[in-house]
Amino acid sequence: MIRMYPMRIYAKLLGLITASAVFFQFYVTLPAGVININLADPFALLALSTVVLISIFSGKMPQWLIAEFNWMLILFGVLLLFAYFIGWMKVGSTQWALSARLVGWVVLLGYLSAGYLLVTYIGNSGIRHMLEILAITAMLVISWQVVYRFLYSYGFNVSESTKNFDGFSGNRNAFAFQLLSVLALSIANSKAYVYEYTKGDDGIFITWRSWVPLGFLFAGIVWTASRAGMLTAAIMLMFAYYKKIPDRKSIFLGAIFAILLWGIAWTLQNYAVMLALISANMDYSFLNFFALFNNIGAVSGQSESHSALMHGIQNPAVQSAISGEDSNEERWAMLLYGIEMWQRSPLIGEGLGVFMANSTGKLGHPTVIHSTPVWILAEFGLIGAVVMAGFFLKLWGYSTKKISPNDEIPRFALLLLLVAFFVFSQFHE
């Protein structure tokens, strides 16, 4: 018999550690290519092992509020295995299909298990604690990215910053989706935060716990310059307003705060530009001080001083650049090839990993289909599409059904997450 109190502590620690570590990813090079590993993956797997052991010793499957959810998970796993077998028959076993999808599915079950343990042993307050950790970590990552890029731009002795504003994910679209997920949870909880800290009274600064995270998230999504991320955020906000989910004042103040953050970053970046231009007619003793302060060393010549100052001006700013026409053309080529694959095998698809295996010969480099619906059709066929659509509708039905006032915030959070996933997945896999 598992004692309740130790399990409460264990579930809370495991869930919160997983939430704080999920923003940090790194890449491992294997003989067949590069795979992405998240720092939270080991903790997610530990959570999955815990849920499995509890189920074995109790003789019961995990209990969910959504009916037949266990069978949905099992059916999806069977679908993945079937698609993997089809792909293995056509192109052999690929690292992407095996590690990124089959093993990745097990890891995703681990993340689900971390949330399950929190709700089972802590209740809805466990979700609240997870949101707070996610929001704090997101704000810290955004702040560090801004500070680090300025340190590099102004010539401090730090390694080169990445081209895009991508957090610790290595991909700005992945970082944008992380921020969108936290944004969905923050919007769903905005009214609760305002009421808890104001008891219904008006106030701006007293409700900072609601609008400050929103401001950081809005600014972070804009800084990524992810078109899918910005579009998804806009649609999610409009949907939330339509459903009367958020505290409107918090959204407004969050947007104002985001503009303020963006304006400060823009001003500091352009201050460097203006300083560099003015320096052409300045006394270069200031530039020597600037170089010494930034560990560049004493600078004797004017041209060398100017070069040291201009070092940051010529390197990535905080704001990422919007993708150009080349990106659009490549994505169209991916989509067309994915549709072509589906037409060859409309019922069961071409199999898991076939697109990745053939993409080098077709597109010039290994890549995935940047559209989840097209990917499902291409590699899982109509059968897979029907199963996936059924899962989505099942979750949507639960999130829109009123059961009790106590579950309103979790249902709103799930609803906004589904909106974010649906919109974002049209442009990324």
Side-chain angles (χ1 to χ4, degrees), residues 65-67 243 394-404 407-408 411-412 415:
L65 294 177
I66 301 174
K243 299 294 288 186
K394 185 78 171 177
L395 294 174
W396 184 273
Y398 169 79
S399 64
T400 54
K401 184 169 65 173
K402 294 182 180 180
I403 300 175
S404 69
D407 74 336
E408 185 177 64
R411 286 191 296 104
F412 283 159
L415 187 61

Side-chain angles (χ1 to χ4, degrees), residues 39-345:
L39 191 61
D41 288 351
F43 301 102
L45 291 174
L46 183 59
L48 176 60
S49 301
T50 302
V51 171
V52 170
L53 288 174
I54 291 174
S55 299
I56 292 174
F57 285 110
S58 66
K60 297 179 181 178
M61 297 278 282
Q63 303 297 305
W64 308 91
L65 294 177
I66 301 174
E68 290 117 22
F69 191 66
N70 286 317
W71 292 109
M72 290 168 59
L73 298 177
I74 293 172
L75 180 57
F76 185 75
V78 171
L79 183 66
L80 273 176
L81 286 171
F82 178 73
Y84 175 78
F85 176 76
I86 297 297
W88 176 72
M89 293 290 290
K90 293 185 177 181
V91 297
S93 178
T94 62
Q95 178 183 294
W96 182 84
L98 182 60
S99 60
R101 287 300 171 264
L102 287 184
V103 176
W105 170 240
V106 176
V107 175
L108 287 178
L109 289 176
Y111 284 101
L112 185 65
S113 299
Y116 175 81
L117 291 173
L118 263 181
V119 175
T120 300
Y121 293 98
I122 309 296
N124 285 342
S125 62
I127 302 177
R128 172 78 167 267
H129 295 323
M130 178 176 281
L131 163 62
E132 291 169 349
I133 291 296
L134 284 170
I136 291 171
T137 307
M139 289 190 291
L140 289 174
V141 170
I142 291 170
S143 301
W144 171 244
Q145 281 289 294
V146 173
V147 171
Y148 188 88
R149 296 171 85 83
F150 274 119
L151 289 176
Y152 177 74
S153 294
Y154 280 99
F156 282 81
N157 188 24
V158 296
S159 59
E160 184 176 1
S161 57
T162 57
K163 178 182 177 182
N164 293 316
F165 193 89
D166 52 15
F168 294 96
S169 66
N171 182 286
R172 62 176 171 179
N173 291 305
F175 186 47
F177 187 73
Q178 290 176 334
L179 298 181
L180 285 168
S181 299
V182 183
L183 179 62
L185 298 176
S186 299
I187 292 173
N189 282 271
S190 59
K191 283 185 178 178
Y193 270 111
V194 169
Y195 180 77
E196 179 176 342
Y197 293 105
T198 66
K199 303 303 181 184
D201 296 332
D202 290 332
I204 295 178
F205 296 106
I206 199 171
T207 60
W208 66 269
R209 292 174 180 84
S210 178
W211 55 264
V212 166
L214 290 172
F216 270 97
L217 294 169
F218 290 151
I221 292 170
V222 171
W223 279 326
T224 65
S226 166
R227 293 174 295 178
M230 291 185 286
L231 175 64
T232 302
I235 293 176
M236 187 165 61
L237 278 172
M238 289 188 290
F239 181 83
Y241 264 77
Y242 171 73
K243 299 294 288 186
K244 300 179 180 178
I245 295 174
D247 175 68
R248 298 192 174 188
K249 183 177 290 187
S250 294
I251 298 295
F252 175 76
L253 292 174
I256 296 298
F257 185 55
I259 294 172
L260 177 63
L261 291 174
W262 190 90
I264 291 172
W266 183 90
T267 301
L268 290 174
Q269 187 70 32
N270 285 272
Y271 169 76
V273 175
M274 292 183 288
L275 187 63
L277 294 174
I278 295 172
S279 70
N281 299 310
M282 280 181 56
D283 178 8
Y284 280 89
S285 60
F286 170 77
L287 296 179
N288 282 304
F289 169 78
F290 181 87
L292 284 169
F293 183 75
N294 290 284
N295 298 321
I296 300 173
V299 184
S300 56
Q302 290 186 355
S303 61
E304 192 175 351
S305 300
H306 189 265
S307 174
L309 184 58
M310 286 298 293
H311 165 74
I313 315 306
Q314 299 168 356
N315 286 297
V318 173
Q319 178 66 55
S320 301
I322 299 290
S323 299
E325 191 61 31
D326 292 343
S327 175
N328 295 335
E329 292 176 356
E330 183 177 86
R331 289 175 185 275
W332 275 116
M334 292 176 191
L335 294 177
L336 291 175
Y337 182 47
I339 294 172
E340 178 186 323
M341 284 179 54
W342 173 56
Q343 290 174 337
R344 291 201 299 263
S345 183

